[in-house]
Each structure stands twice: as C-alpha cells, then as structure tokens.
C-alpha cells in the first residue's frame, strides 16, 4: 500500500536511515518520484535507486494468495477471523461477529448506544481466549471524549461476572485499552503513520475510532478534509488486512428528509405492522466514505422501539434486530424475525426521540 512506512520494509538499516533523513517516509514517497530526483536527493547511483524502487514495490504490494490458502488462513485464526459480539443473532448474521481485515461502521444518533457497543467490544477483545475473547489490546481513538472506563468496567462485570469479579482481571482489562484523543483529522493521520510498530508491540486485536465524523466537524475546507479521510480509509484497510484485526468506526447522522417508514414483525401467531411518521436521517460523510466501509450497522428507532440493522455486509443479508441498552451494554430483545422496507440506508428515528434528546447531529 502507498501509505506503508519505509521503516517496516525489507531495506538495510543504513539505507532506511538515509531515506528517513531526506523525508522519504512511505512507499508513495519513493514510488511517485522520478529516478533522477531520487538520485539527486539520496546521492546514490541509478542501479542502487532501482534496487530501492524494486524492493519498495515488492514490500508495498501484497502478494497474491489462492482461495484455498485464504480459507485455511481464516480457519486458523481465533474465532475463524471474527471478534464475537456475544449478541447471538448478530454473530450468526455476520458468520461469527465483527470480521478481521475489514472496516465495520456503526451509525446512529447520539444516545443510541454506539459508544456502548464500542465498550462491549473492548471487553470482548481483551477477554481471555478461554472465555471467547481475543486476549489482546485495543487502540481506542476517542475524538468526542466519550470513553468512560467506569462504564466499561460495569459492562465487563455484568457480562462476565465469573471473570471480572476478580479485580486483577479488571485491572488487566483497563491496562489493555490504549486511549488516544485526536483533536483534528491531521492529528489522527499523524498517529496512524506510526501505528504499525504499536500494533505489533502491544499485541493489538481491535482498533476503534469513536467517532470518525467528529474529526471533521471543526475543520475548515471540508472538501479537502473529505479527500484526506478517503486516503486514511485506504490506510486503515491496509492495517486491518495486514495485521488481521477488526477496525470499528462510529459515525454520526445528518438530516435527509421527512417521510414514513414501516417495520414488519413476523411470528407464528400474527403479522403486525408498525407505521410511524418520523424524521429520516442518513449517515454523515457522504457516499464516498460509505463506499470505504465494508460493513454498515445502523442504530435507529421506529414506533418507540430501537433497532439494530445490518444494512451493508458481504457476509449477511439485511437483518433487523430490536435492542435495548442496559447495564450489560446492548442487549437484543426476543427472537422474532423482523424485516424492513423502504431505503435500507435511511436511518429512521421517531420525532419524540430526537426532539427529546437534543443531542443528535446535523
């Protein structure tokens, strides 16, 4: 990948030091410069420059693998390449949970449980393998300062009391979560540049950005910021795939239009249909960002009931699951089969829920 750091490539140490001293830090810095410019900049002969370009190309371009090799690799990973949510129907729909090597986005208004889900997954990633976790560290980018260690501890003790009633295990959980507070998109980009070594040293098994949209809100020249964000999505996908970790990002919502929406519930006794006038919203950051994520999960509300909707996934059809937020984090309600109509990507929120909270984003 173009954003891969020179320091992580198979170049000899003296050459790496020269490149770093000349401000050539990534594969793109090498591959986008003419040979003559590199000769002048590095004071090396043409044959040596071509060796550098060749080695950089090899390291930056991921090798091909057969379908069989990919299948065997996934089957050898913890959880068959997924981080379990421990929400049975969600894990079933996603064939095991939040997938490694992909960007999963959770979209919804403030107060609907996006950060609660993040905290749940922090616990699951740090949990010992014998209890269904990944026994690793988590990098948590908290751009809205909503990370609450006390709430994470409450979720851990409520969901896994047999593990986290032991204060030593609770302390280990707390030390496994590495929290960053980027104040701008540029700060976030800078931190990603040096992340590869941290992922290895800290045995990171999950990366969270909560929230991605907040990084742009105070920025001038948003068009330029959107372009930067698109480039960082490529970097995040590289990190997810190269290090075989799940990346979870949360996103805010913006106003789309006013209309009506319906949710159907099917069970053995009766078919019921709920119709409610409501304000329709859509995910922030636009369609370009939407194409950058592999999975989109939407949190919404119809008729006073909250729903978790898997709206986009190569692993699952569109599924809708009623949920509530408790001391355990997000919990699914019942096992009825729900289906949805209308625009799948629209986010449906009851008027009362929005006007009552005063927290939703435009």
């Amino acid at each position: 990948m173009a954003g891969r750091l020179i320091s992580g490539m198979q170049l000899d140490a003296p050459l790496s030091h020269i490149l770093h001293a000349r401000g050539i830090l990534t594969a793109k810095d090498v591959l986008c410069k003419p040979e003559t410019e590199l000769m002048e900049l590095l004071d090396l002969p043409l044959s040596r420059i071509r060796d550098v370009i060749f080695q950089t190309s090899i390291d930056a371009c991921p090798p091909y693998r057969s379908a069989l090799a990919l299948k065997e690799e996934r089957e050898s990973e913890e959880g068959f390449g997924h981080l379990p949510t421990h929400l049975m129907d969600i894990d079933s729909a996603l064939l095991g949970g939040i997938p490694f090597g992909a960007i999963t986005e959770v979209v919804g208004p403030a107060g609907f449980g996006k950060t609660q889900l993040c905290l749940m997954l922090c616990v699951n990633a740090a949990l010992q393998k014998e209890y269904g976790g990944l026994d690793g560290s988590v990098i948590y980018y908290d751009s809205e300062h909503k990370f609450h260690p006390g709430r994470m501890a409450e979720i851990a003790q409520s969901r896994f009391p047999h593990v986290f009633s032991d204060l030593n295990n609770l302390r280990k959980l707390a030390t496994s979560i590495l929290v960053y507070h980027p104040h701008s998109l540029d700060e976030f980009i800078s931190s990603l540049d040096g992340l590869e070594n941290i992922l290895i040293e800290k045995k990171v098994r999950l990366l969270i950005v909560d929230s991605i949209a907040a990084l742009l809100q105070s920025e001038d020249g948003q068009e330029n910021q959107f372009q930067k964000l698109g480039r960082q999505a490529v970097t995040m996908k590289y990190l997810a795939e190269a290090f075989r970790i799940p990346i979870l990002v949360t996103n805010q919502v913006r106003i789309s239009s006013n209309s009506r929406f319906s949710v159907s519930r099917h069970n053995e006794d009766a078919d019921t249909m709920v119709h409610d006038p409501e304000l329709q919203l859509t995910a922030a950051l636009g369609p370009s960002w939407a194409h950058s994520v592999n999975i989109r999960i939407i949190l919404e509300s119809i008729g006073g009931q909250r729903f978790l909707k898997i709206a986009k996934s190569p692993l699952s059809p569109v599924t809708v699951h009623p949920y509530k937020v408790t001391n355990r984090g997000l919990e699914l309600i019942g096992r009825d089969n729900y289906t949805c109509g209308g625009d799948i990507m629209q986010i449906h929120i009851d008027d009362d829920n929005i006007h009552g909270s005063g927290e939703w984003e435009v």
Side-chain angles (χ1 to χ4, degrees):
M1 303 296 289
R4 185 167 181 184
L5 295 176
I6 293 294
S7 59
M9 296 184 182
Q10 301 295 319
L11 298 171
D12 59 71
L15 180 57
S16 293
H17 291 319
I18 293 172
L19 292 168
H20 190 273
R22 301 295 189 274
I24 299 177
L25 306 178
T26 67
K28 182 178 180 181
D29 295 335
V30 172
L31 300 176
C32 290
K33 285 182 169 58
E35 292 177 343
T36 52
E37 183 178 341
L38 287 172
M39 289 174 63
E40 181 178 352
L41 189 62
L42 302 177
D43 193 23
L44 293 173
L46 179 59
S47 60
R48 191 75 173 104
I49 293 298
R50 287 177 174 170
D51 288 342
V52 172
I53 293 172
F54 176 76
Q55 187 60 55
T56 302
S57 300
I58 293 296
D59 289 343
C61 298
Y64 74 85
R65 287 172 290 177
S66 69
L68 177 60
L70 285 172
K71 178 177 181 293
E72 291 174 344
E73 178 184 304
R74 301 299 184 266
E75 289 177 347
S76 69
E77 293 176 323
E78 298 98 341
F80 293 96
H82 293 80
L83 169 62
T85 66
H86 295 288
L87 301 172
M88 186 180 299
D89 290 350
I90 305 303
D91 288 343
S92 176
L94 295 176
L95 306 183
I98 307 300
F100 297 176
I103 299 176
T104 299
E105 177 192 51
V106 181
V107 185
F112 267 61
K114 300 189 299 295
T115 298
Q116 306 298 314
L117 181 57
C118 291
L119 296 176
M120 286 174 58
L121 292 174
C122 283
V123 174
N124 296 350
L127 189 67
Q128 295 95 318
K129 292 179 182 179
E130 57 263 34
Y131 299 115
L134 301 181
D135 199 14
S137 297
V138 178
I139 290 180
Y140 196 116
Y141 286 99
D142 181 22
S143 61
E144 295 187 298
H145 294 266
K146 289 186 176 180
F147 179 85
H148 195 298
R151 175 59 174 143
M152 183 180 69
E154 179 185 27
I155 290 172
Q157 291 179 317
S158 298
R159 298 188 73 86
F160 304 100
H162 54 295
V163 179
F164 294 108
S165 57
D166 184 335
L167 294 183
N168 288 327
N169 287 337
L170 202 59
R171 189 184 303 275
K172 181 182 176 183
L173 167 65
T175 57
S176 298
I177 315 302
L178 312 175
V179 182
Y180 294 77
H181 294 291
H183 297 96
S184 67
L185 181 58
D186 287 337
E187 282 190 21
F188 175 65
I189 292 171
S190 296
S191 69
L192 285 182
D193 287 341
L195 205 57
E196 292 186 52
N197 290 335
I198 296 174
L199 293 176
I200 296 170
E201 292 172 6
K202 301 296 185 180
K203 298 181 180 178
V204 173
R205 306 302 294 136
L206 171 65
L207 190 154
I208 293 174
V209 184
D210 182 22
S211 81
I212 195 73
L215 295 170
L216 277 71
Q217 288 204 344
S218 60
E219 301 285 351
D220 296 325
Q222 279 207 337
E223 188 62 35
N224 181 46
Q225 299 300 318
F226 282 135
Q227 292 175 3
K228 285 185 178 181
L229 184 60
R231 291 194 291 270
Q232 295 318 301
V234 174
T235 300
M236 287 192 288
K237 281 188 175 181
Y238 157 70
L239 293 172
E241 179 60 35
F243 292 92
R244 298 304 301 159
I245 61 172
I247 293 183
L248 184 78
V249 301
T250 67
N251 194 3
Q252 299 165 354
V253 298
R254 60 181 177 84
I255 294 174
S256 174
S257 64
N258 286 302
S259 68
R260 300 177 70 92
F261 181 79
S262 66
V263 166
S264 307
R265 180 175 62 195
H266 305 287
N267 54 40
E268 295 179 355
D269 300 325
D271 287 352
T272 59
M273 183 79 73
V274 180
H275 295 276
D276 282 288
E278 56 190 39
L279 189 63
Q280 285 194 354
L281 309 169
T282 190
L285 306 180
S288 179
W289 167 256
H291 292 307
S292 298
V293 303
N294 303 99
I295 294 173
R296 171 169 282 178
I297 295 173
I298 291 174
L299 304 181
E300 58 186 1
S301 173
I302 302 104
Q305 175 61 62
R306 294 185 179 184
F307 293 90
L308 185 156
K309 177 169 65 180
I310 301 175
K312 172 188 176 182
S313 170
L315 309 173
S316 166
V318 177
T319 60
V320 184
H321 310 270
Y323 77 94
K324 61 183 178 179
V325 179
T326 71
N327 63 328
R328 295 166 53 88
L330 269 63
E331 289 193 82
L332 301 185
I333 303 172
R335 297 298 303 277
D336 289 335
N337 179 34
Y338 286 76
T339 59
C340 62
D343 185 348
I344 292 169
M345 289 299 172
Q346 289 286 352
I347 302 167
H348 307 89
I349 310 295
D350 296 338
D351 285 337
D352 289 344
N353 282 337
I354 288 182
H355 298 313
S357 71
E359 297 179 331
W360 55 288
E361 306 292 338
V362 177

